[in-house]
Amino acid sequence: MTYQPYHIDGSDRPSRWLVTCDHATNAVPSFVNGGDLGLAAEDMARHIAYDVGALGLARALGKALDGPVISADFSRLVIDPNRGEDDPTLVMKLYDGTVIPANRHLDTTDRDMRLNTLYRPYHSALARLAARRADTIILSVHSFTRQFRGRPERPWHVGVLYATDTRLARPLLVRLRQESDLCVGDNEPYTGHLPGDAIARHALAYQRPNTLIEVRNDLISNDSDQIAWARRLAPLLEEAAQAAGV
């Protein structure tokens, strides 16, 4: 059976929402260094290898919004689908204090193999889904760790990230900040702009409304929390889209 580097849930769902999850799993395909990046199991279970809880949240949001969900089926440490092809962090050699042994001496041949078998097929599938409707809204779902090693704790429960297109992000921020129990990040804990990233490729390049949501991973560590957050976020996203007039 041919390895497929992505999953699509709900491909026949009719709404304009397209939910993406770039860092869905910590899987290392067998053809990449024998399926082992040289890291201990506890490191592969950390946020450095994937966005903990994001896949379950993305799938629950897809159901709630009645839109398809596409998720990458390879670890961000193998190759990061949320980076441009020429980004120096496309294949990480060091992340949050951990050296990635299989990436330290990666040559052009191996890099191109990962691009051609994982990264590019994922983006081709995402492009096809995004083009299924003329009025697609792209919602990118991620999670973040509460604290990097040696750094202060992050206060946010959820962050809204955006680049040059703020049509959806701004009203979503307003609506989220009306929730009294939430600490909401505005382009936190990261900036929402990386040249050539997934939003740039599939939303900004086509002027599609979009936003990227980051939820702190300890808040979505199990199925019930993921479903609860999806049920909370979905109506707020719908309200924000309506307020934005997109």
Side-chain angles (χ1 to χ4, degrees):
M1 183 177 178
T2 304
Y3 177 80
Q4 183 163 288
Y6 57 86
H7 289 294
I8 298 174
D9 296 276
S11 59
D12 57 348
R13 292 176 187 151
S15 90
R16 59 188 300 211
W17 291 93
L18 170 58
V19 182
T20 69
C21 191
D22 302 322
H23 302 148
T25 176
N26 58 2
V28 181
S30 60
F31 52 81
V32 176
N33 203 54
D36 187 348
L37 295 178
L39 290 176
E42 54 266 31
D43 279 323
M44 289 303 296
R46 294 174 61 214
H47 69 97
I48 64 171
Y50 73 122
D51 282 1
V52 178
L55 178 58
L57 175 61
R59 286 176 167 165
L61 276 166
K63 288 181 179 179
L65 295 167
D66 203 23
V69 180
I70 183 168
S71 55
D73 194 22
F74 51 92
S75 172
R76 65 187 300 168
L77 295 180
V78 174
I79 191 165
D80 194 332
N82 195 36
R83 297 293 186 273
E85 291 195 15
D86 58 353
D87 191 307
T89 65
L90 179 69
V91 180
M92 294 288 282
K93 298 181 178 182
L94 174 70
Y95 192 12
D96 195 19
T98 298
V99 173
I100 320 303
N103 295 346
R104 288 185 67 189
H105 305 294
L106 190 75
D107 60 23
T108 301
T109 300
D110 284 339
R111 177 184 177 276
D112 288 347
M113 181 272 291
R114 297 185 194 187
L115 278 168
N116 290 327
T117 58
L118 301 169
Y119 179 102
R120 288 171 180 157
Y122 170 72
H123 280 289
S124 294
L126 201 167
R128 289 192 295 271
L129 279 175
R132 81 199 192 287
R133 292 182 55 143
D135 60 350
T136 294
I137 299 176
I138 295 181
L139 168 63
S140 183
V141 177
H142 292 254
S143 72
F144 65 96
T145 187
R146 186 166 194 162
Q147 185 174 24
F148 276 116
R149 288 174 173 174
R151 299 188 187 179
E153 283 194 5
R154 293 158 157 174
W156 310 284
H157 300 106
V158 59
V160 177
L161 276 59
Y162 52 88
T164 54
D165 181 358
T166 64
R167 288 174 293 170
L168 181 58
R170 286 298 180 194
L172 180 59
L173 279 165
V174 169
R175 186 62 188 85
L176 281 167
R177 285 175 169 167
Q178 292 171 355
E179 304 286 300
S180 60
D181 61 328
L182 293 182
C183 179
V184 180
D186 181 344
N187 257 349
E188 297 285 2
Y190 314 105
T191 177
H193 177 62
L194 289 169
D197 66 10
I199 289 292
R201 290 181 63 156
H202 301 287
L204 300 183
Y206 298 91
Q207 298 183 328
R208 293 177 178 127
N210 66 89
T211 192
L212 189 155
I213 290 180
E214 293 259 7
V215 179
R216 207 176 68 208
N217 61 22
D218 61 307
L219 303 176
I220 51 171
S221 61
N222 57 63
D223 291 348
S224 60
D225 287 340
Q226 292 156 15
I227 292 168
W229 268 90
R231 288 175 175 168
R232 183 175 192 176
L233 289 171
L236 305 185
L237 285 157
E238 295 276 28
E239 289 176 27
Q242 184 174 10
V246 297

